[in-house]
Amino acid sequence: NGGREMRFGRLRLFNANGSQLIAMPIPMQAQFWNGGGFVTNTADNCTAIAPGNVALGNYQKNLNAGETVVSGGGTFSAGVSLLRLSAPGAANNGSVDVSVNLTGVPAGASCTAGMPASTPTLLTHLQGAWGGAAYNRDPTARATFGLYRDTEQLIYRRENY
């Protein structure tokens, strides 16, 4: 380690939902174990994830392959970064699973079955126990477009002067 501080960590993706008419951010965090739980590694300013390292699969409802693409990523700043999925369009509501390939092989080790090949990152030290007991799984999140709308309940307020 050359005298450097070493931490046990993982990469975490967060689920997201929103309109199918605008691009959707997918938050990512580099996390480490602080003895009680995983917290954001604010010292991480060098981990980098490129759009090619991300696989999209398991399309549901009216969303199909090619209707949304990944952009963003890049180098983390204070342990956080964002992937961005393009807006799929008005008729393309549905969901897609998003997985970052942290392995050294194109197929990855995602706990989500059926994910297509993506460019490996060789960052296996950031794999987590996602859906299993061993820390050998790539992080996966679900992006949902257009299925969850604001509630149609309104709160009425009346002012008297």
Side-chain angles (χ1 to χ4, degrees):
N1 67 7
R4 294 188 179 102
E5 185 175 320
M6 301 300 281
R7 295 178 171 168
F8 171 72
R10 69 182 185 182
L11 178 69
R12 180 169 182 199
L13 294 179
F14 290 86
N15 294 332
N17 63 64
S19 172
Q20 69 272 30
L21 303 177
I22 59 174
M24 182 179 298
I26 308 289
M28 296 187 292
Q29 281 184 355
Q31 298 180 332
F32 74 95
W33 183 260
N34 70 356
F38 283 99
V39 296
T40 304
N41 183 2
T42 57
D44 187 339
N45 294 304
C46 59
T47 297
I49 303 295
N53 303 131
V54 180
L56 300 178
N58 192 26
Y59 293 88
Q60 303 289 318
K61 201 153 166 72
N62 298 320
L63 190 62
N64 297 299
E67 293 175 342
T68 185
V69 295
V70 179
S71 64
T75 304
F76 282 55
S77 176
V80 297
S81 186
L82 282 176
L83 293 172
R84 191 167 301 279
L85 297 180
S86 64
N92 301 320
N93 62 325
S95 65
V96 61
D97 289 340
V98 181
S99 184
V100 176
N101 185 348
L102 298 175
T103 69
V105 295
S110 176
C111 59
T112 304
M115 295 303 277
S118 58
T119 306
T121 61
L122 300 173
L123 297 174
T124 55
H125 60 280
L126 290 177
Q127 288 181 314
W130 310 111
Y135 284 81
N136 63 352
R137 302 289 180 109
D138 292 339
T140 301
R142 176 155 296 166
T144 305
F145 289 96
L147 295 181
Y148 299 105
R149 295 184 352 172
D150 225 0
T151 62
E152 296 194 20
Q153 299 172 355
L154 298 175
I155 297 174
Y156 293 94
R157 184 173 82 176
R158 180 176 174 179
E159 291 185 29
N160 292 321
Y161 296 97

